[in-house]
Amino acid sequence: MAETYASDFGTILLFLVGGAIFVVIGLFTAKLIRPSRPNAEKLTTYESGEEPIGNSWVQFNPRFYVVALIFIIFDVELAFLFPWATVFGRRDLIEATDGMWGWFSLIEMFIFIGILVLGLAYAWAKGHLDWIKPAPVIPKSRSKIPAELYQRVNERNYSPAKTPDKG
């Protein structure tokens, strides 16, 4: 008796197809059930509660993205701290390991928070959190050669045909 089973890839494909069908059926059902009464207020673009004014293709200050990335880092940190705090707070786990579990998890979290604080200090020291950055300092040349000589050299046009032959 030959039994055929779906391979692991076939199982994954079945789950993907089933998930896609589930989503399509949900969206189709919602379209059939929901009321459709569009008006001008519903069709406007939502911009954080503000009326959209002007063209949306404006350049944003890149510091918005830096601040957003730092926020996401600390937001993810909170996502890691919550499960740690719930497990660390269980007295039965701490007592089962003679307190070593508690000390291990406490040191582990201090290391984790320390790395994030170092990253924040680095971004702060580099000035990435300053909203108005100072103008860049352009180094001055300390050459003894006058600047006019450099200018005369830069104005010359050199071409291979005009170079003297050193035969």
Side-chain angles (χ1 to χ4, degrees):
M1 174 162 78
E3 295 183 20
T4 58
Y5 294 101
S7 70
D8 291 337
F9 292 114
T11 305
I12 292 172
L13 179 65
L14 285 175
F15 274 107
L16 288 174
V17 170
I21 289 172
F22 182 75
V23 168
V24 168
I25 288 174
L27 289 173
F28 181 70
T29 305
K31 185 175 174 75
L32 289 177
I33 294 174
R34 72 173 180 244
S36 177
R37 294 185 211 109
N39 61 28
E41 185 69 25
K42 288 182 182 178
L43 297 177
T44 60
T45 305
Y46 179 75
E47 293 184 5
S48 302
E50 298 291 327
E51 289 291 325
I53 298 172
N55 189 0
S56 63
W57 291 100
V58 295
Q59 286 187 341
F60 282 99
N61 194 329
R63 292 182 198 99
F64 281 118
Y65 300 110
V66 173
V67 171
L69 285 174
I70 291 173
F71 168 77
I72 287 173
I73 288 170
F74 285 97
D75 194 36
V76 170
E77 175 191 6
L78 288 177
F80 283 119
L81 279 175
F82 181 73
W84 171 82
T86 56
V87 172
F88 179 63
R90 289 182 52 190
R91 184 176 297 277
D92 58 334
L93 284 175
I94 295 172
E95 290 174 354
T97 58
D98 295 330
M100 293 306 291
W101 171 260
W103 286 109
F104 172 73
S105 59
L106 185 65
I107 292 170
E108 176 189 28
M109 195 46 59
F110 275 130
I111 291 171
F112 178 70
I113 293 172
I115 291 171
L116 288 175
V117 167
L118 283 174
L120 179 64
Y122 176 79
W124 194 348
K126 285 290 191 179
H128 294 303
L129 298 179
D130 296 337
W131 196 249
I132 299 174
K133 287 193 171 195
V137 177
I138 300 172
K140 301 281 185 184
S141 174
R142 294 186 182 114
S143 175
K144 294 181 181 180
I145 301 172
E148 300 85 37
L149 289 177
Y150 286 116
Q151 186 62 31
R152 283 195 292 181
V153 168
N154 288 333
E155 289 173 356
R156 289 185 193 167
N157 289 331
Y158 292 102
S159 64
K162 292 183 181 178
T163 57
D165 209 13
K166 293 187 178 182

